[in-house]
Structure formats: structure tokens, C-alpha cells
Amino acid sequence: MKAQKWFTHPVGMTVSAIIATLLWGSAMPAIKLGYEALGIGSDAANEQWVFAGYRFALAGIMLILLTACMNRRPRTDLNRSGKSRRVGWRVTRLAVIQTFLQYIFFYIGLSLSTGMKGAIISGATCFFQMIVARMVDRSESFTFGKTLGLCLGFVGVIIVTFSNTADADMSFGIGDVCLILSALFGAIGNVLARYEARELPVLWLTGRQMALGGVGLIIVGAWRAGFAPFQWDASSLMLLFYLAFLSAAGFSLWNLIMKYNQVGKVSMFLFLIPLFGVLLSAWLLNESWNGGTLAALGLVVAGIIVVNRSSSGKAARKAIRRAV
């Protein structure tokens, strides 16, 4: 099955989105476990950035090697004369937004928060992404179905917030601000990646922007922490490789989904990240949670169904008008 057919089919899009969001949701407890294994404190921002840089540089290398084996590269006309410099600028711009800025704030914010709270606030990416998409593309309309679906998902996130983080400080501090900024840059990066993928192969683009963004994070963190501030053992290395894998797989899947679908149609799935993050944080970090998660999960699933039924109905109406 061709990639476009899979990622535009409702089943293919849904399965891919769930896998990507599950991987991203697992990042919260994995990063917290990595902090613990490497002795990275909440006040050690430079070490956090070096750790993040290793993760994304390694993820980028994984994808670069994969695309080399698949012989995926930009079209010939994009590699001639000044166009090659333009491609380099576009990759760099995406690396700065989707990897460097998103995660320079995320790693600080998560160190000052619980895994659950970090996962919950990351749900704001969905709202930011739809707003950014609407600003740059007027065809990204806010239909009643999409709005209702987003409201249902938002209520689910609110329920998770108040039913699963009783032990967390719900007042906003610097950590919360950093997590919100991370969600904003993540949304901008997702939309930008969608438009860049119209001309550049997704895996080729994702690998290079991750590697470049990861190197940037390492350089910024190493300014004070040094390039090798950690004592690695088997468990911490496994966590690093898992984080690199989930980044490579998650971003590749998501960027492919974004390439072949409207932003508003897939943004709803981002609500699964906080839910997966909450469940995995409760399991792996022993953070407290309760049955409210089930109600939240029901609302999010209902929101996904409403959004996709709305999108399918809109596409069917367009097809009927074209046939008439």
C-alpha cells in the first residue's frame, strides 16, 4: 500500500496517529527516569539540554541512515544553484522551531513538574496547532464538528488535570510557562513541517532537522555543563536509545500524517498525548491517579469520532457537489 493511501485512509491515519501519540506520551516518564538515572537535578538546565541534544542528534542519525538505505533525497531540481541554499535554510528553520526551541523549553518545564502535569499541559499543542494552521491557510476552517470535538477533548484534559494531579501544584510557575511555550513552538513546527513536506521527503527532512536541532541543544548545554557530564550505565543508555527511537518514529509518523491530511482533521489526536502521558506516568513513575482518567478517555475518544465524522461528512458533500 502506498504511503499516501495509508495515511489518508481513516484506519491508517488513526492507527498511525495513535502510535505517534503513544510514543510521545511515553517520553514524559522516560525523560523523568533519565533525569533520575543520570542524576540531573531540576536546577541543572545545561545538563538537561545536553541530554536532550544527545537524544535528538541520535534520532536524526537514525533517520539519516534509514533514508540513505532507502535512497530518499530531495528532487534534483531542488539541489541546483541557489535552490540548495534555500533547502538548507528551510531545514535549519524547521530544526530551530520544531526541535531546538520546542525542547529547550520542554526539558526545563518537565524538570520542574510531574510527568502527569507535563503531559497534560502538552495538550495545548492541539489548540495552538489549529490556530496557527488557520492563520496560514484559510482552508483550515473551524467547523461545528471540529469545534465540538475540540471542546470534548479539552473537557477531557480538564478532568485529567483535576482528577489525576491532586499531589501536584496547580498554580502556574516558570515550569508551566516553559511547557506552554514548548507546546506553542511544537504546534508551529508541526504546521511548518507539513508545508515543507510538499517539496522535501518527510524522512529526509525530519532526520536532518532533528540532527541539526540536537547539535544546537548540545552546544548550548555544553557551554557550562561540558560535552560529557554524565556517567552512563546500561539502563541510562537504554533510556537514551528509546527516547531517540520514539523521536525518530513519532516525528516521522506525525509529519507523514500532516503531509497528507488537513491540520484540523488530525489535531484532535494530540489530545491522546496527555492521556497516554498520565497513564504511563502513573505506571512507570508511581504518580497518583484515579478513575477520572476513564471519563477523560471517553471524552477524548468521543471528540476524535466527532472530528473525523465532521471531516468525512464535509469531504462527502464536496464529492457530491463535484459529481453534480
Side-chain angles (χ1 to χ4, degrees):
M1 182 181 290
K2 292 183 178 180
Q4 182 173 356
K5 186 175 182 181
W6 170 257
F7 287 106
T8 55
H9 192 279
V11 174
M13 183 190 69
T14 301
V15 170
S16 301
I18 289 174
I19 293 173
T21 52
L22 175 60
L23 288 170
W24 280 337
S26 70
M28 286 75 171
I31 292 171
K32 298 287 283 187
L33 290 171
Y35 285 166
E36 182 179 348
L38 295 173
I40 302 175
S42 60
D43 58 344
N46 291 281
E47 292 184 2
Q48 295 162 17
W49 294 334
V50 173
F51 182 41
Y54 285 162
R55 167 191 174 185
F56 288 104
L58 181 57
I61 291 171
M62 288 179 179
L63 286 177
I64 290 171
L65 293 175
L66 176 62
T67 54
C69 294
M70 297 170 63
N71 197 27
R72 294 291 180 88
R73 61 185 64 184
R75 295 195 305 270
T76 304
D77 61 322
L78 289 176
N79 285 320
R80 293 175 180 171
S81 65
K83 290 188 176 180
S84 62
R85 291 192 295 271
R86 191 177 69 181
V87 171
W89 156 245
R90 289 158 65 182
V91 173
T92 302
R93 178 177 60 181
L94 184 60
V96 169
I97 295 172
Q98 195 173 42
T99 297
F100 183 81
L101 289 175
Q102 180 180 358
Y103 287 96
I104 203 169
F105 287 111
F106 183 80
Y107 270 65
I108 295 176
L110 193 60
S111 72
L112 298 170
S113 179
T114 63
M116 286 186 178
K117 194 172 183 184
I120 291 164
I121 295 177
S122 71
T125 301
C126 179
F127 297 107
F128 289 136
Q129 184 165 294
M130 294 195 71
I131 293 170
V132 171
R134 176 61 178 169
M135 291 173 63
V136 301
D137 185 355
R138 293 299 176 182
S139 68
E140 293 284 349
S141 59
F142 280 91
T143 65
F144 174 77
K146 289 179 182 178
T147 304
L148 176 61
L150 283 171
C151 289
L152 289 171
F154 181 58
V155 171
V157 171
I158 292 175
I159 290 176
V160 171
T161 302
F162 289 101
S163 66
N164 291 302
T165 58
D167 60 334
D169 180 10
M170 294 308 297
S171 62
F172 275 81
I174 186 64
D176 305 299
V177 172
C178 287
L179 288 169
I180 290 173
L181 287 173
S182 172
L184 173 60
F185 284 116
I188 296 172
N190 287 344
V191 175
L192 179 61
R194 177 178 185 245
Y195 288 96
E196 298 293 11
R198 292 177 176 180
E199 295 184 351
L200 299 171
V202 171
L203 297 181
W204 184 94
L205 174 65
T206 304
R208 280 154 180 77
Q209 72 89 1
M210 276 190 175
L212 187 58
V215 170
L217 288 166
I218 292 172
I219 291 173
V220 170
W223 179 53
R224 288 195 173 182
F227 288 98
F230 311 123
Q231 295 293 325
W232 298 96
D233 57 20
S235 61
S236 57
L237 283 172
M238 286 180 62
L239 283 168
L240 176 65
F241 276 93
Y242 174 71
L243 285 166
F245 165 76
L246 75 85
S247 298
F251 273 97
S252 296
L253 278 174
W254 192 257
N255 286 344
L256 284 166
I257 296 168
M258 293 285 287
K259 176 180 180 178
Y260 294 116
N261 297 275
Q262 283 193 321
V263 175
K265 186 177 180 180
V266 299
S267 291
M268 183 64 205
F269 287 96
L270 292 173
F271 275 116
L272 290 174
I273 298 176
L275 287 173
F276 285 138
V278 165
L279 291 171
L280 291 171
S281 293
W283 177 35
L284 298 173
L285 302 178
N286 293 319
E287 294 180 359
S288 63
W289 65 288
N290 55 47
T293 300
L294 296 177
L297 181 60
L299 286 168
V300 171
V301 170
I304 292 173
I305 293 173
V306 170
V307 167
N308 282 280
R309 284 180 63 87
S310 173
S311 300
S312 299
K314 184 178 179 182
R317 288 192 294 273
K318 285 184 177 179
I320 292 171
R321 285 196 295 268
R322 285 196 297 267
V324 173

